[in-house]
Amino acid sequence: MRRVADLLVEVLAEAGVRRIYGICGDSLNGITDSIRATNNIRWIHVRHEETAAFAAGAEAHLTGTLAVCAGSSGPGNLHLINGLYDCYRNRVPVLAIAAQIPSAEIGSGYFQETHPEHLFAQCSHYCELVSHPEQMPRVLEVAIQTALSKRGVAVIALPGDVALKEAVDHGPRLHFSEARPIVCPSDDEIDLLADVLNRSKKITILAGAGCAGAHDELIELAGKLQAPIVHALRGKEFIEYDNPFDVGLTALLGFSSGYHAMMNCDLLLMIGTDFPYRQFYPKNATVVQIDLRGEQLGRRTKVDFGFVGDTGVTLRALMPKLQQNQYEEHLRQSREHYRTARKELDELAAPSGKTPIHPQYVTRVIDQVAAEDAIFTCDVGTPTIWAARYLTMNGKRRLLGSFNHGSMANALPQAIGSQITYPGRQVVSLSGDGGLAMLMGDLLTLKQHELPVKLIVFKNDALGFVELEMKSAGFLEFGTDLHNPDFTQIAEGAGLLGLRADTPDQVEPAIAQALKHDGPALVEVIVSRQELSMPPSISLEEAKGFGLFMLKAVLSGRGDEIIDLARVNLLR
Ligand SMILES: Cc1cc2nc3c(=O)[nH]c(=O)nc-3n(C[C@H](O)[C@H](O)[C@H](O)COP(=O)(O)OP(=O)(O)OC[C@H]3O[C@@H](n4cnc5c(N)ncnc54)[C@H](O)[C@@H]3O)c2cc1C
Ligand SMILES: Cc1ncc(C[n+]2csc(CCOP(=O)(O)OP(=O)(O)O)c2C)c(N)n1
């Protein structure tokens, strides 16, 4: 007999799905049994369903194609939710199979009963319960189409008994190839856009992840407009490299040059970005925004001219209508400013014989020794800061984080998904000690699936980023201490190579050895707890929001009134 679960697996295989991340159990057993019986789809057993969702998100981010995760009823699919939020907010196509309790029990408060349609409502574009075999494969295919076309999450809730019923339909109904619509503003709108740009002198471009695949067009545009390019963090991997117009990021992790290029322009041209921090947008500039999605226009700042279009398509239509901007001063100043800002940040990453080790230096070493096409993941917390500032992109390297959702513990699971998707590439996780501990069970996944992921753990014995937040808001630090184990021993116990760097001279050899190791490895680096990661510039108005501690540190640059900060920052 051909079961609904068999049909589900066949439809997924037809849609190009090669693996499903998850944890099996009761209501999911019919589906895992069908996976067992097929050669087309692998079951990737992880140790926490949140890992499954993050890993699927990483796969979808890297490939742009559908990735799938699964959880058993109740707690199993509840565990998926945080990872799915991340996928949803990153706009990557992920399907979640949320197994459900027996259909006859729904509504009785049965063992493990939840209502997935409610639970997943906020983190999905589509979530439907399959109660009859007749709904399959149509509901599944609608879910797949929705995840792909909305670029987000779709969920099907499937009761275990329905999965085991005889299928009514006998195969996939849809055989679509990947849709590639051309989205461009109308001719009139392109004329208007050209006119607005041709009339402006001091133009700054704020570019984001929506510029992926349009690097050449973006650089040509910046040349024509004599415009510095500030990138938003999710755009870093697509924009920063081979870019003579790059002036860095803005906002708290940013560079003063990025901040000033935005604040000092007459016209801000936002392209493919949803950069969220309102206080870092200019107040008086004309703002022009181009985005694939109309609903994104004006979401973050007031917009004077909004255009719906794909970046590459729109810029190609626009270029012939643009005149060469003759005003060079804004670009020249911004680049000069960038050189100085970059130099200052680079100095903080310079090797020093002193302990504790500066995390900037660790990241610089990772950057230097990692492969040309390495995939990096970075935990939310200070590893995001160091990755943003010290990892160099080149068009082949990739950078994943939980940048929009901002969840801790993302780096290990995203590394798992990356390594499974690209077994031959080097995958390096920049992990916080808090972040690693949160989903540490999935260290075991590295060994179980023989994934040669390299984890660099920034061990500062603290929830360091939160300490910075507390200080800057004038709170006393509380609840941020981490009484950590020796992570190298934990790694060894889990079957990984475990290495440790206590002093700066041990950093490079340990990381290099880990990268060469033919299997998973963890390097624990003892880093300083208090490192400045300051806003690029601070106005009086912003300063009001900062506590005295942070303010002094910011304004003096090295914070000499504060003993600990002084020790790590002055005595370099
Ligand atoms: C601890 C922490 C600190 C952070 N600090 C900073 C910081 O200081 N600075 C910073 O920049 N970020 C920072 N971030 C990240 C920040 O929260 C956002 O995730 C990031 O700025 C968004 O980048 P983006 O605009 O490139 O991407 P997204 O938010 O993903 O926006 C992409 C936009 O492009 C559009 N798009 C997609 N495809 C196309 C296409 N083909 N054509 C046109 N448009 C398209 C989408 O509709 C969307 O509007 C931080 C994150 C964390 C976790
Ligand atoms: C799931 C989750 N819980 C809490 C937070 C709040 N938070 C943001 S960063 C952070 C600290 C991260 O600590 P760690 O991983 O040790 O990195 P560090 O900042 O110390 O380098 C916390 C608690 C969060 N973003 N996500």
Side-chain angles (χ1 to χ4, degrees):
M1 179 181 85
R2 204 149 181 282
R3 300 167 301 181
V4 166
D6 301 328
L7 181 60
L8 174 135
V9 169
E10 193 187 328
V11 170
L12 292 179
E14 170 67 26
V17 172
R18 292 292 163 261
R19 57 193 75 84
I20 300 177
Y21 307 84
I23 298 184
C24 56
D26 45 50
S27 45
L28 202 53
N29 291 346
I31 294 171
T32 42
D33 190 54
S34 299
I35 295 171
R36 179 193 56 73
T38 179
N39 291 325
N40 296 328
I41 293 189
R42 255 177 92 196
W43 177 251
I44 308 292
H45 175 188
V46 294
R47 301 305 178 104
H48 193 301
E49 291 84 354
E50 183 172 337
T51 299
F54 268 119
E59 175 176 336
H61 178 89
L62 292 172
T63 63
T65 59
L66 186 75
V68 183
C69 57
S72 57
S73 57
N77 59 61
L78 276 174
H79 269 188
L80 290 172
I81 285 185
N82 190 47
L84 287 180
Y85 257 98
D86 192 70
C87 301
Y88 179 75
R89 305 204 56 190
N90 282 341
R91 302 184 185 86
V92 292
V94 168
L95 173 78
I97 301 167
Q100 175 59 310
I101 57 163
S103 50
E105 301 293 346
I106 293 175
S108 70
Y110 188 68
F111 174 66
Q112 295 190 329
E113 180 169 358
T114 59
H115 288 96
E117 307 93 301
H118 299 301
L119 289 172
F120 293 100
Q122 280 180 31
C123 63
S124 68
H125 296 285
Y126 182 87
C127 180
E128 289 296 338
L129 174 71
V130 179
S131 342
H132 302 284
E134 289 81 358
Q135 286 172 275
M136 286 287 280
R138 189 157 58 125
V139 166
L140 174 61
E141 288 174 337
V142 175
I144 293 174
Q145 282 299 116
T146 308
L148 287 171
S149 63
K150 295 252 188 227
R151 308 212 64 77
V153 174
V155 184
I156 61 160
L158 182 60
D161 57 308
V162 179
L164 294 175
K165 284 191 175 151
E166 184 164 7
V168 176
D169 268 324
H170 286 284
R173 294 156 59 250
L174 307 180
H175 304 273
F176 294 151
S177 53
E178 192 194 340
R180 291 181 187 278
I182 293 171
V183 186
C184 190
S186 67
D187 290 348
D188 286 352
E189 289 171 304
I190 291 286
D191 286 343
L192 173 65
L193 174 58
D195 186 47
V196 173
L197 295 173
N198 285 335
R199 280 189 281 117
S200 304
K201 274 175 29 179
K202 286 170 73 177
I203 304 172
T204 293
I205 296 173
L206 172 65
C211 295
H215 187 270
D216 291 353
E217 290 85 345
L218 190 65
I219 301 299
E220 196 186 340
L221 175 76
K224 217 47 190 269
L225 299 179
Q226 302 267 26
I229 301 178
V230 178
H231 59 266
L233 184 51
R234 289 197 75 239
K236 176 179 164 82
E237 55 174 340
F238 309 116
I239 295 163
E240 190 186 46
Y241 69 97
D242 293 345
N243 180 350
F245 304 94
D246 179 42
V247 294
L249 295 151
T250 182
L252 288 180
L253 313 192
F255 298 29
S256 49
S257 49
Y259 176 85
H260 286 294
M262 294 258 295
M263 290 306 186
N264 295 338
C265 67
D266 294 338
L267 184 141
L268 178 70
L269 174 56
M270 297 170 63
I271 313 178
T273 178
D274 191 23
F275 172 76
Y277 311 113
R278 284 196 293 157
Q279 59 277 40
F280 288 90
Y281 282 93
K283 305 281 176 294
N284 300 318
T286 301
V287 180
V288 179
Q289 186 176 4
I290 303 169
D291 201 286
L292 189 59
R293 299 174 174 85
E295 68 270 24
Q296 296 296 104
L297 301 179
R299 191 175 279 260
R300 304 297 173 199
T301 188
K302 62 104 191 174
V303 164
D304 301 284
F305 301 93
F307 301 91
V308 176
D310 166 76
T311 301
V313 175
T314 307
L315 298 192
R316 282 193 292 277
L318 174 68
M319 284 311 292
K321 313 218 158 167
L322 283 185
Q323 293 153 13
Q324 179 62 47
N325 184 3
Q326 302 298 338
Y327 184 77
E328 294 171 359
E329 196 48 23
H330 177 56
L331 176 61
R332 199 194 55 72
Q333 275 177 8
S334 303
R335 282 157 113 174
E336 189 52 41
H337 197 159
Y338 175 63
R339 265 191 291 277
T340 322
R342 184 69 263 179
K343 190 163 157 281
E344 281 165 10
L345 284 177
D346 288 343
E347 279 163 10
L348 296 175
S352 119
K354 303 202 176 76
T355 53
I357 304 167
H358 295 292
Q360 298 94 323
Y361 171 65
V362 180
T363 317
R364 176 49 50 87
V365 170
I366 297 171
D367 188 48
Q368 284 166 350
V369 298
E372 272 286 293
D373 65 345
I375 300 170
F376 299 99
T377 63
C378 59
D379 262 337
V380 164
T382 65
T384 295
I385 309 180
W386 315 132
R389 291 180 175 174
Y390 295 104
L391 291 182
T392 321
M393 297 291 112
N394 58 11
K396 288 179 253 163
R397 287 180 167 184
R398 303 297 308 265
L399 174 63
L400 286 78
S402 178
F403 298 142
N404 282 345
H405 184 46
S407 173
M408 274 172 80
N410 59 293
L412 169 61
Q414 289 177 330
I416 289 173
S418 303
Q419 191 76 81
I420 285 176
T421 309
Y422 291 107
R425 277 171 80 168
Q426 192 178 72
V427 177
V428 184
S429 166
L430 277 60
S431 299
D433 44 7
L436 177 67
M438 200 175 256
L439 283 177
M440 197 156 63
D442 270 292
L443 280 182
L444 307 177
T445 302
L446 300 181
K447 186 64 192 164
Q448 179 153 348
H449 293 288
E450 293 297 343
L451 302 174
V453 166
K454 316 302 177 200
L455 299 157
I456 316 297
V457 185
F458 289 70
K459 190 179 190 188
N460 56 10
D461 291 332
L463 300 174
F465 192 82
V466 178
E467 281 191 350
L468 275 171
E469 285 173 353
M470 286 177 174
K471 283 170 198 156
S472 70
F475 294 120
L476 292 176
E477 288 154 44
F478 177 74
T480 54
D481 266 350
L482 296 176
H483 295 240
N484 273 320
D486 179 338
F487 286 110
T488 64
Q489 284 188 23
I490 293 206
E492 292 282 343
L496 280 65
L497 170 69
L499 300 169
R500 180 185 171 95
D502 291 294
T503 54
D505 59 311
Q506 295 170 345
V507 171
E508 208 265 353
I511 293 177
Q513 187 186 344
L515 292 184
K516 275 200 215 97
H517 178 65
D518 182 23
L522 179 151
V523 184
E524 171 178 280
V525 187
I526 313 305
V527 295
S528 58
R529 184 162 175 162
Q530 314 235 10
E531 280 288 343
L532 289 174
S533 45
M534 296 294 110
S537 171
I538 188 145
S539 68
L540 269 183
E541 213 198 337
E542 285 156 3
K544 277 190 226 146
F546 282 79
L548 199 60
F549 184 106
M550 185 72 113
L551 191 58
K552 281 183 178 161
V554 173
L555 296 179
S556 71
R558 303 275 162 168
D560 50 357
E561 264 104 309
I562 299 124
I563 306 303
D564 264 4
L565 274 176
R567 193 163 54 77
V568 286
N569 291 293
L570 282 179
L571 309 178
R572 282 170 176 272

